[in-house]
Amino acid sequence: MTTAPRETEVQRALRGLEDDRSSVRLRAAMAVGSTPDPAYVGGLVQRCAVEPEFFVRDMLTWALTRHPASLTLPALRGELRSDRPQARSQALHTLSKIGDRRAWPAITRALLSDADDEVARSAWRAAVVLVPEGEEAGLAGVLVTQLGRGDRRVQLSLSQALVALGEVSVPVLRAAAAAGDPGVRAHALATQRLLRDPDAGFASAIEEARRIVALTGAPRRTASPGSPAEGDWDRADR
């Protein structure tokens, strides 16, 4: 007796997610999240892949977090294999908000080094949230391979991820700070500075790091504890 009306309500809500007006889509996502139903999950995930407005995508993510992880995780893991970068990026973002570590195996090296910057940034953030205890050092080792990549916004995201991992990032950053690539070296030095001083601004840290790299040139020996970061910062100040 109640099946047909309920189906009509679900269909109406899902149509609202595809309305031409962003305000209508926003209200539809809010309504779906306020009254969770398994029938909504597929439509929410599909809409995340194509929704052009950031604030609507954020509401779609919130609506998905209101549903059981047993329903959302399989659908979101499937999106990580999508050819559409936004589908991968938004699925990663949503997984980070759900915070269920059962999703960790889906955070692959391929995603952490995805050619699309937004996908990679989302993967870094999700990985830091989902990484199981004891696997942080391995994650830091993968993240450090992305040093020097992208513009300042991309580099800031990677530095934030490495800083969030804490002390396990110290050895891999020390090694990267001795790299021959000046971009990698500068990014590593800036991230080391942020680890030592979380209140330091990334813009000033990266500019100072680039100045150090320009002044000191390529490293002449393998890094040892306290070097090259501390030594380079000291030499640059002379």
Side-chain angles (χ1 to χ4, degrees), residues 168-234:
V168 299
S169 295
V170 171
V172 292
L173 284 171
R174 183 181 297 132
D181 186 302
V184 171
R185 191 176 177 208
H187 195 182
L189 289 170
T191 307
Q192 285 181 317
R193 171 55 64 92
L194 294 179
L195 262 172
R196 295 194 301 273
D197 180 10
D199 294 327
F202 181 76
S204 60
I206 193 66
E207 289 304 322
E208 183 69 2
R210 287 170 179 166
R211 184 169 71 91
I212 290 166
V213 169
L215 289 173
T216 60
R220 297 179 181 178
R221 59 184 175 82
T222 301
S224 58
S227 177
E230 288 83 352
D232 281 351
W233 287 101
D234 290 344

Side-chain angles (χ1 to χ4, degrees), residues 14-103:
L14 294 177
R15 280 199 302 272
L17 295 177
E18 299 177 354
D19 195 274
D20 290 340
R21 296 160 294 179
S22 60
S23 59
V24 174
R25 299 197 303 275
L26 181 67
R27 288 196 299 271
M30 186 181 300
V32 167
S34 299
T35 56
D37 188 294
Y40 292 138
V41 171
L44 287 168
V45 171
Q46 290 174 15
R47 188 63 200 176
C48 282
V50 297
E51 172 55 51
E53 299 291 345
F54 169 79
F55 61 92
V56 179
R57 292 199 303 272
D58 219 33
M59 189 62 71
L60 292 168
T61 285
W62 171 79
L64 282 165
T65 66
R66 297 272 296 160
H67 290 78
S70 59
L71 296 175
T72 57
L73 293 188
L76 292 168
R77 284 195 295 258
E79 290 294 279
L80 299 181
R81 298 186 294 273
S82 172
D83 291 335
R84 189 187 295 270
Q86 183 174 306
R88 301 195 301 276
S89 176
Q90 197 64 23
L92 286 161
H93 173 67
T94 305
L95 287 171
S96 73
K97 294 299 182 181
I98 293 171
D100 191 313
R101 286 183 170 174
R102 289 178 294 177

